């Protein structure tokens, strides 16, 4: 099934200059990028994005992490991407690796580049949507509809002679 999935290169990924490596690794999934932008993450956006974790003891620190508050003022941003293609959600999750970077396979993005902070937050350099419902919710949260390129097998009207 053709799916869309949200990917965030988190502030630690940007600070570690991993953008190129991460995009190269994700290209193994043979998907299309249909949306991309740099976002300064507000507290509200961070809290909504991680709403499923709001009762966890690490929630406050997690919100600070995705906002870049742990990485100095220069890295208060993320790179947000939407990938589209066959089985996109699982393909990206596989390349991203397990949530805990110490348990993640070392050949995955999180296994290769993630760490656990002294406060216990998993700094795992990348977010990817976990299922179709989450993907839809997250893409709507981070992107306006007009910021996503619509892929279509049919030629667009203005492209026709
Ligand atoms: N996280 C953490 N400790 C945990 C679980 C999660 O620090 O015990 C952080 C980690 O950065 C993770 C994010 O919270 O990527 C979202 O957690 P989720 O369970 O949704 O994992 P993911 O979908 O990112 O693999
Ligand atoms: Mg998740």
């Amino acid at each position: 099934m053709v799916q869309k999935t949200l990917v965030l290169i988190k502030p630690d990924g940007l600070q570690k200059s991993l953008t190129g490596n991460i995009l190269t690794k994700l290209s193994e999934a043979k998907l299309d990028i249909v949306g991309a932008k740099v976002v300064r993450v507000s507290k509200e956006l961070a809290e909504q994005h991680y709403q499923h974790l709001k009762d966890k003891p690490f929630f406050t620190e997690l919100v600070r992490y995705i906002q870049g508050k742990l990485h100095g003022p220069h890295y208060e941003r993320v790179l947000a991407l939407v990938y589209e293609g066959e089985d996109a959600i699982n393909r990206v999750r596989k390349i991203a690796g397990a949530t805990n970077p110490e348990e993640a396979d070392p050949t995955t993005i999180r296994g290769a580049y993630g760490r656990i902070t002294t406060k216990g937050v998993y700094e795992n350099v990348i977010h990817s949507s976990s299922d179709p419902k989450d993907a839809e919710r997250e893409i709507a949260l981070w992107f306006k509809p007009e910021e996503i390129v619509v892929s279509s097998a049919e030629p667009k009207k203005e492209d026709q002679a």
Side-chain angles (χ1 to χ4, degrees):
M1 200 172 76
V2 173
Q3 300 171 325
K4 288 189 184 66
T5 188
L6 179 79
V7 168
L8 303 174
I9 300 184
K10 297 179 178 184
D12 51 323
L14 297 180
Q15 188 183 46
K16 290 171 172 170
S17 279
L18 291 173
T19 305
N21 296 35
I22 290 171
L23 294 181
T24 299
K25 192 89 181 127
L26 288 175
S27 71
E28 289 170 16
K30 302 271 184 273
L31 302 168
D32 294 317
I33 295 173
V34 294
K37 62 179 177 180
V38 177
V39 182
R40 189 172 286 270
V41 184
S42 68
K43 190 159 177 270
E44 291 67 36
L45 176 57
E47 287 175 351
Q48 283 183 54
H49 178 74
Y50 283 131
Q51 62 177 26
H52 63 295
L53 297 170
K54 67 178 188 306
D55 298 326
K56 299 282 183 195
F58 56 83
F59 183 67
T60 308
E61 198 65 6
L62 178 60
V63 166
R64 280 168 47 75
Y65 163 37
I66 197 72
Q67 285 194 275
K69 302 279 185 199
L70 312 178
H71 297 87
H74 191 69
Y75 294 102
E76 291 185 14
R77 65 188 78 174
V78 302
L79 179 59
L81 303 143
V82 178
Y83 279 84
E84 182 180 63
E86 193 61 36
D87 197 24
I89 295 170
N90 281 335
R91 281 195 195 177
V92 172
R93 290 286 288 190
K94 225 173 153 194
I95 295 169
T99 306
N100 181 336
E102 287 193 357
E103 286 172 4
D105 184 293
T107 64
T108 62
I109 293 168
R110 288 167 161 183
Y113 302 123
R115 68 168 195 142
I116 302 179
T117 69
T118 47
K119 287 195 175 169
V121 172
Y122 302 162
E123 281 191 1
N124 50 17
V125 305
I126 184 177
H127 166 83
S128 72
S129 306
S130 54
D131 59 64
K133 206 164 146 263
D134 264 2
E136 200 183 344
R137 185 186 77 81
E138 291 172 359
I139 291 167
L141 186 62
W142 288 83
F143 283 84
K144 297 183 188 129
E146 63 268 26
E147 291 173 329
I148 309 283
V149 171
V150 178
S151 314
S152 169
E154 299 295 316
K156 282 188 291 177
K157 235 182 184 163
E158 61 263 33
D159 295 339
Q160 288 174 356

